[in-house]
Amino acid sequence: MAMIAKQCPDIPVRVVDLNQARINQWNSDNLPVYEPGLDEVVKEARGRNLFFSTDVKNSIRESSIIFIAVNTPTKSFGVGAGRAANLEFIEKCARTIAECSSGHKIVVEKSTLPVRTAEAVKRILHSSANGATFDVLSNPEFLAEGTAVEDLLKPDRVLIGGESSAAIETLAKVYARWIPREKILTTNLWSSELSKLTANAFLAQRVSSINAISALCEATGADVDEVARAIGTDSRIGPKFLKASVGFGGSCFQKDILNLVYLCEHFGLKEVAQYWEQVVCMNDYQKRRFSSRIVRTMFNTVSDKKIAVLGFAFKKDTNDTRESAAIHVCRDLLDERAKLSIYDPRVPEDQIRNDLQLAFADALGEVSDKHKRLIEKNVTVHKSLLDATRDSHALAVLTEWDEFRSFDGKTVFDSMFRPAFLFDGRNVVNRQQLTEIGFEVHSIGRASETLL
Ligand code: UGA
């Protein structure tokens, strides 16, 4: 919305939320999300034609296009728990829109949704008692965190699905202010909804595919980065999204695939469901494999050993930790009674502690006192890499922050116990230089020196 406001100064954009604290943050100098370039975009438009408030009902009344951009997390209860999307917030939004609208409005699904959700949204909207009429469009978002501003400025495509060509054109005209027309694709509603889930499933599948190969590389002496380069030059495969890692994270990939799996099951497509579910299984395996490798390499015990965890966000250039591989690896290491000293340049300490607690929560979201004590006793969070790594037995790089590519290896090495292990879950450190200093470096998708 900030980008639309920036590019279209004559269009008033109102962003509303029920959460007053969150809106206050959007109105302050400390935006609630860290995203390169976003501060400037918000500053340019805020107060001019971009407004943040909790005045949901009046904003609906005054707007002609309404974007629904609420959470659609995986359902944690009832039918479809652990797989289906929780559409509670979508439904509440649709009901509020129906209640407050009069005249004609275009309602745009921006949240990622299961196929045919628009059907339910339409039925709720059409029950409006005020005689209002609606067109429902699907306009999924393809930006990635960390590069959001760039992705919004120059998207590969904008997708608009709908039944009314007049409504599609109204929205297309907004994007056409800065995006070439040929990049604005229009489809029917269901294709648009399904394309979003499919795009994320394909992207996650590529990561799981290269991660599967990374396990084979470690066993055989092949190098996964070399394999990725070799296959990526085939123009049919392409070089992007082939970086082997400790596992994909983020709020979308897992959630969207599980949602796809649930849909397939719902439509009786058991084999299709099983096919996509493997992408998530492989990702779980990759995270587990990484923590087991740490334990195995460190003489089968990390109990009471200090492991410096470098990076907690699910990728660089974001403070988002949702489904971060780091959470899973840290939980496994805490189970082994390791002492963790964690450093991430952007994620605050309370977020890290909260994530770790939830990693031990039971099905009802309760965390036992035993686990709370375990975290209290064994986790410290630091403000610099040097503080986190001092007196450690091993380093584990879990996010590919730029500063981990070129830290002062000699100083870190001198402060560590021997052997000084380094487990690179992102293949970003300068392996050769650090090995020369004396580190024992273990990379994803590369056999250890002994096998080589
Ligand atoms: C992803 C998609 O890339 C966006 O197109 C989509 O709009 C978004 O989900 C969404 O549905 O909201 P995002 O999760 O922000 O974006 O970040 P990605 O760059 O896709 O990375 C996801 C995860 O995969 C990260 O943990 C990243 O480290 C990992 N990854 C990515 C790899 O391990 N290897 C790669 O080669 C690429």
Side-chain angles (χ1 to χ4, degrees), residues 159-179:
L159 183 58
I160 306 176
E163 282 161 351
S164 147
S165 37
I168 292 177
E169 182 52 23
T170 305
L171 185 57
K173 267 193 189 145
V174 174
Y175 287 112
R177 302 278 194 102
W178 78 97
I179 295 160

Side-chain angles (χ1 to χ4, degrees), residues 3-4 7-8 152-155 174-180:
M3 184 57 76
I4 291 180
Q7 301 291 0
C8 316
L152 288 167
L153 269 176
K154 289 192 179 137
V174 174
Y175 287 112
R177 302 278 194 102
W178 78 97
I179 295 160

Side-chain angles (χ1 to χ4, degrees), residues 123-356:
R123 284 186 55 195
I124 295 168
L125 291 174
H126 290 148
S127 66
S128 163
N130 319 328
T133 53
F134 299 93
D135 282 311
V136 177
L137 299 178
S138 158
N139 172 219
E141 185 49 63
F142 295 102
L143 69 80
E145 290 181 32
T147 52
V149 171
E150 211 180 303
D151 295 344
L152 288 167
L153 269 176
K154 289 192 179 137
D156 286 344
R157 77 321 208 169
V158 165
L159 183 58
I160 306 176
E163 282 161 351
S164 147
S165 37
I168 292 177
E169 182 52 23
T170 305
L171 185 57
K173 267 193 189 145
V174 174
Y175 287 112
R177 302 278 194 102
W178 78 97
I179 295 160
R181 273 280 173 169
E182 65 274 14
K183 293 202 166 180
I184 303 176
L185 312 183
T186 59
T187 64
N188 77 28
L189 263 174
W190 322 125
S191 305
S192 173
E193 286 179 339
L194 185 57
S195 298
K196 171 65 194 179
L197 291 184
T198 308
N200 273 357
F202 269 59
L203 289 169
Q205 181 200 41
R206 267 176 85 93
V207 179
S208 272
S209 296
I210 198 70
N211 282 345
I213 297 301
S214 77
L216 192 57
C217 288
E218 285 163 35
T220 56
D223 177 334
V224 76
D225 286 332
E226 289 179 357
V227 174
R229 187 153 51 91
I231 63 167
T233 49
D234 184 326
S235 60
R236 293 167 302 175
I237 296 175
K240 292 184 182 165
F241 255 74
L242 285 180
K243 185 76 189 153
S245 67
V246 55
F248 63 73
S251 65
C252 301
F253 281 180
Q254 175 162 319
K255 167 183 79 103
D256 290 352
I257 292 178
L258 292 176
N259 192 345
L260 192 66
V261 168
Y262 185 72
L263 273 173
C264 295
E265 283 170 351
H266 173 80
F267 290 107
L269 305 168
K270 195 177 100 206
E271 284 77 6
V272 186
Q274 285 171 345
Y275 174 78
W276 286 109
E277 192 162 20
Q278 272 307 308
V279 173
V280 174
C281 294
M282 182 52 64
N283 197 46
D284 290 339
Y285 169 70
Q286 186 75 349
K287 292 181 277 191
R288 268 198 323 274
R289 219 166 63 73
F290 188 78
S291 37
S292 316
R293 190 177 182 191
I294 295 180
V295 177
R296 206 177 53 244
T297 310
M298 295 176 74
F299 317 110
N300 285 314
T301 174
V302 289
S303 172
D304 259 339
K305 290 181 185 163
K306 179 169 165 179
I307 300 179
V309 172
L310 302 181
F312 203 78
F314 82 97
K315 62 188 276 196
K316 75 168 183 176
D317 289 341
T318 175
N319 56 356
D320 194 343
T321 59
R322 285 175 291 174
E323 290 300 332
S324 177
I327 300 174
H328 299 261
V329 172
C330 288
R331 187 199 51 206
D332 290 350
L333 295 174
L334 285 169
D335 267 336
E336 293 286 339
R337 299 294 179 268
K339 296 211 172 293
L340 303 183
S341 53
I342 304 177
Y343 165 64
D344 185 287
R346 287 283 168 182
V347 182
E349 173 160 1
D350 52 351
Q351 181 70 48
I352 293 175
R353 290 193 177 278
N354 194 34
D355 287 336
L356 290 177

Side-chain angles (χ1 to χ4, degrees), residues 310 385-386 389-390 392 395 403-418 420-422 429-441:
L310 302 181
L385 180 146
L386 284 183
T389 53
R390 194 168 298 124
S392 60
L395 318 182
E403 68 174 278
F404 303 153
R405 289 177 192 273
S406 56
F407 61 89
D408 179 355
K410 181 80 176 70
T411 308
V412 172
F413 180 75
D414 287 344
S415 77
M416 286 178 68
F417 288 96
R418 305 287 184 268
F421 295 103
L422 191 158
V429 304
N430 189 332
R431 185 185 164 107
Q432 195 190 339
Q433 194 189 64
L434 294 176
T435 307
E436 276 161 23
I437 290 172
F439 279 97
E440 186 178 312
V441 181

